[in-house]
Amino acid sequence: MSMSLTEPRIIVFTCNWSAYSGLESAGAEGLSYPASVHPVRVMCLARLHPGLILRAFELGAAGVLLLGCPPGECHYGSGNSRAAEMFEELQALARLLGVRDEQLQLDWVTTGQGATFANKVREFADRLMLVPAT
Amino acid sequence: MQTESIKEAIRTHRAHYCLDCGKCTSVCPISWRDPSFSPRALVESCRLDATGTVLSDERIWECLTCGRCSLVCPSDVQFVRFVRELRSVARHAHQEGHCTHGATIQTWMRMMADPEIKQERLGWLTGDLRTAAKSDTVYFVGCLPYYDVLFRNTGAQGTEIAQGAVRIMNALGIEPMVLSDERCCGHDLLWEGDTDTFGRLAKLNTESLRATGARRVVTTCPECAYTLRTDYQLGMEVVHITELLAARWDKLAECVTAQESEQPLTVTFQDPCRLGRYMGVYDQPRQLLLNLGLQLAEMDHHGSRSICCGTSAWTQCGATAKCIQVDRLREARATGSDLLVTSCVKCQIHFKCAQNDPVLEDGLRIEVRDLVTLVAERLKESAGS
Ligand code: SF4
Ligand code: SF4
């Protein structure tokens, strides 16, 4: 059985700009990250809403990591602060549903930083392995 | 197969007795605002349907299941039951309504159907509220803690209702049990035709509720009350809090400070569909308001003729829903009341959402409150301690 089937699935939403460019750089530089990570690119994290992310958990995701632009560097100006507001609401709902904070995080990657992308994703996955299976 | 299911629904809910009179359409709040919708015409389409194409008809999801039509039907067609079953058939044919709020609510409901889920749903229970590990009463909180998060931006009160309910019960000498593994009652999924998930929720809640050994379940949501009473086989008494409080007014009277000012507040009451038309609880909330020393000014449509808050099961909320809410808020304002009181968190959310309209704002302004919080804030300091 391959690792990707036994490892829990982790969904990483990246914005199209900083975070996705980090992902592309990681690929170009040959940096690896766990096979359990399934990146999903959206134009901006502000496009996401709590229902969509809860749906990932409903379908069995072990964790969801949202990666956007660094503060002040949103491609659209205000997208990442809107995403932060959305995240607050999402986190409150997720906590009610028993999702632990280490299973759901919001973070950012600077454009072109492949190593940062790979590290953040790996650290997120590592922390999740510590969460006891429910 | 599907056409058989449609025929079955027609037979079971008496749709084949329809006389085509159109009385239902004349009292339907959706039809008033959206002439393309008519319960009569939907019944007719189903009866004439030979291939199952009616299942992709958008109208199936438009109905509020408010029950106004059933009151006037001369043939006793059970339209709301019919539409509920039709939705279940349509769902099996991979059709569904448009879930408002990105299906956030339906998603948490389905997540709660997972037997393994460990919710953290009792954060609202502050130290001053007394609950018991063993009691003859369970307070079924429903999705209030969740609505509190999702609709905080509308100004809706969620956990305040739960806190108020426990505070009032404490004043009456009741220390209820509250369950950390309670789940959504499933009302909205059931009425949207998702009978599978409803069945799972009902089973889990029934097990937990029965395991308490309590005699009675109290709810603050009319939809929870109706569902637990009618669609569960609980074998326990289920009461909505307005029924409990009205029945215990003698005792409650000692615990509350009634309005004493020369000019008492005037209030008007929005009958939630499940509380009023479905359970026949019209007088109790009104009696409570009068007992609190408030003046009651009725809207033109009240009691059994009351009009739904415009959206049901978090589905198809759109222009028609908004029109119904705006009409209703204007009707409430026309009574000259200071407060629009309701007894269902969903009515409150829908009205407060409509009030956020930046253009109509001033014309829709009236404070919307839940009856429970109104009673709770009038409890005397010493009550129940
Ligand atoms: S239940 Fe209400 S919304 Fe639905 S058809 Fe009847 S009157 Fe109209
Ligand atoms: S009121 Fe009853 S009989 Fe008349 S059209 Fe409607 S469903 Fe048919």
Side-chain angles (χ1 to χ4, degrees), chain B residues 17-25 39-40 43 69 72-77 79:
Chain B
Y17 285 109
C18 173
L19 305 167
D20 246 353
C21 70
K23 286 190 167 146
C24 49
T25 306
R40 181 205 61 76
V43 167
C69 50
V72 297
C73 177
S75 254
D76 200 19
V77 173
F79 186 78

Side-chain angles (χ1 to χ4, degrees), chain B residues 58-174:
Chain B
E58 194 78 2
R59 290 175 300 173
I60 291 178
W61 309 97
E62 303 282 343
C63 166
L64 299 165
T65 70
C66 72
R68 280 193 115 233
C69 50
S70 302
L71 287 183
V72 297
C73 177
S75 254
D76 200 19
V77 173
Q78 311 288 319
F79 186 78
V80 295
R81 292 286 171 167
F82 174 63
V83 102
R84 178 168 117 176
E85 193 164 332
L86 204 55
R87 288 175 182 178
S88 161
V89 178
R91 195 167 279 269
H92 282 111
H94 309 291
Q95 300 290 334
E96 57 181 22
H98 298 294
C99 300
T100 319
H101 306 285
T104 306
I105 301 163
Q106 287 85 349
T107 303
W108 81 49
M109 291 168 173
R110 284 192 304 263
M111 286 175 80
M112 286 189 217
D114 174 359
E116 304 296 329
I117 193 172
K118 300 260 178 302
Q119 296 173 76
E120 297 284 344
R121 51 159 34 245
L122 296 180
W124 55 273
L125 209 50
T126 48
D128 56 320
L129 302 170
R130 294 197 312 278
T131 56
K134 209 72 196 153
S135 169
D136 73 339
T137 303
V138 189
Y139 170 37
F140 191 88
V141 182
C143 291
L144 284 175
Y146 291 85
Y147 294 138
D148 194 80
V149 173
L150 195 59
F151 296 109
R152 195 175 294 155
N153 60 352
T154 67
Q157 293 183 310
T159 53
E160 289 90 341
I161 298 175
Q163 289 162 338
V166 174
R167 202 161 281 136
I168 301 166
M169 283 190 253
N170 287 171
L172 288 173
I174 302 168

Side-chain angles (χ1 to χ4, degrees), chain B residues 186-218:
Chain B
H187 170 281
D188 294 340
L189 297 176
L190 176 64
W191 285 87
E192 270 194 325
D194 185 355
T195 46
D196 294 344
T197 315
F198 170 77
R200 290 207 295 280
L201 289 167
K203 179 171 174 286
L204 291 163
N205 276 328
T206 301
E207 283 165 7
S208 309
L209 286 166
R210 283 200 187 140
T212 62
R215 176 178 62 80
R216 168 174 67 181
V217 185
V218 177

Side-chain angles (χ1 to χ4, degrees), chain A residues 15-17 42-46 69 73-80:
Chain A
C15 77
N16 182 54
W17 308 99
V42 292
M43 289 310 281
C44 176
L45 292 190
C69 297
E73 292 176 33
C74 171
H75 182 79
Y76 302 106
S78 60
N80 52 5

